[in-house]
Amino acid sequence: MTYLRYSDDIETPEENEHESIDGIIKGMTQESQVVEKREGHAVRASHAKSTACVIGELTVVDGLPPELAQGLFAQAGTYQVAVRFAQGPGENLGDRVSTHRGMAIKVFGVEGEKLPGHDAPTQDFVLASGPTFPAGTAAGFLSQAKKIGLTTPMPEGVKSAASSIARNINKVLNAVAGGPSPTLDFYGHPYSHPLDDYYFSQCPVRFGDYVAKLGAFPVAPEQLALDDWKLDPHQDEDGFRHAAVDYFDQHDAVFEMRAQLWANAETQPIEDTSVEWPAQDSQYVTVAMIRLPRQAAYGPERVRYFDEVMTFRPAHSLAVHRPLGGVMRARLQVYKALSDFRHRENGVAAADTASIEEIPA
């Protein structure tokens, strides 16, 4: 199969894109202020509620073909990683409000040219459930942020009802239309086990000489055995966290990191992340294994460090894995602005963690 090559001119920014990005930052900062006033503490503007904070290893597969042996994955080897699993909302809600989820990965010991402003020897991959991001462009991102901003002051019961409606409609679509709606899944994700979910970059990134979307897929037998697991949120409003902690008390978690290379500029757009790249054009292929061994997944000191101090950003990247497209161009600025707000409000110094030894046991 022939894959398309990366070049510096494959991106096409929208007209007045900087205005959209400024609007996203302004709107999400206002949302964070509302949540801070209610909770008495500033939290992440998305993926605020962590479910597991763990460490492990990423091992690059040996013998990758040239188009996959790129950047971080150019040579076989093992890196230490920190991984934060979290629920989607930018506030601490009960698990009845089951929306999209996050899996943020920080890879340590990564050498090479970094993006401007990133000096640590690390590479972050910020993944979420669902293969696409419903807001396909920076302008769409702004529109979505405005809608979420309107719901932020609402009571939790209203958010739970909205999540339930989206989830139930998606069940019907999955049954009669052959597949769920990514937009509805964003607002109403199934009550599935967080360690049995697929996680995606959703947006493309440079992949050395090529371009790819990335994903993390659970493969350990104990994870796959969770296919029928379902939370009863009326029994436990923090059930996803408790389920993840119980899992790590007994089992290792293993994810295959896979790359879907860019092969068709017409059907696999760079600038519209609401479009799922068709599998008939290119499929996700394994480039590394992430192994997270049994451990205490929610120790108080480590959780504080993950939630309050450590930062995960698309901008923490090798130049050869530069994020691409309007949504990612927005995220490069939005993540920093909102992180700066959160740390400033809480009086906590942010850390661009450079070594796994800095993470509490």
Side-chain angles (χ1 to χ4, degrees), residues 4-8 10 66-74 123 125 204-212 214 259 261-262 317-324:
L4 301 177
R5 294 267 178 164
Y6 169 82
S7 65
D8 291 337
I10 63 173
E67 65 272 16
L68 292 174
Q70 300 284 327
L72 175 67
F73 310 97
Q123 168 71 49
F125 296 111
V205 300
R206 181 179 177 182
F207 200 77
D209 294 331
Y210 299 89
V211 174
L214 302 174
L261 291 174
W262 186 42
S317 175
L318 289 166
V320 291
H321 291 311
R322 181 172 69 85
L324 301 172

Side-chain angles (χ1 to χ4, degrees), residues 92 103 178 193 224 313 345:
N92 288 300
M103 179 183 182
H193 199 289
L224 301 182
R313 298 178 191 169
E345 291 296 298

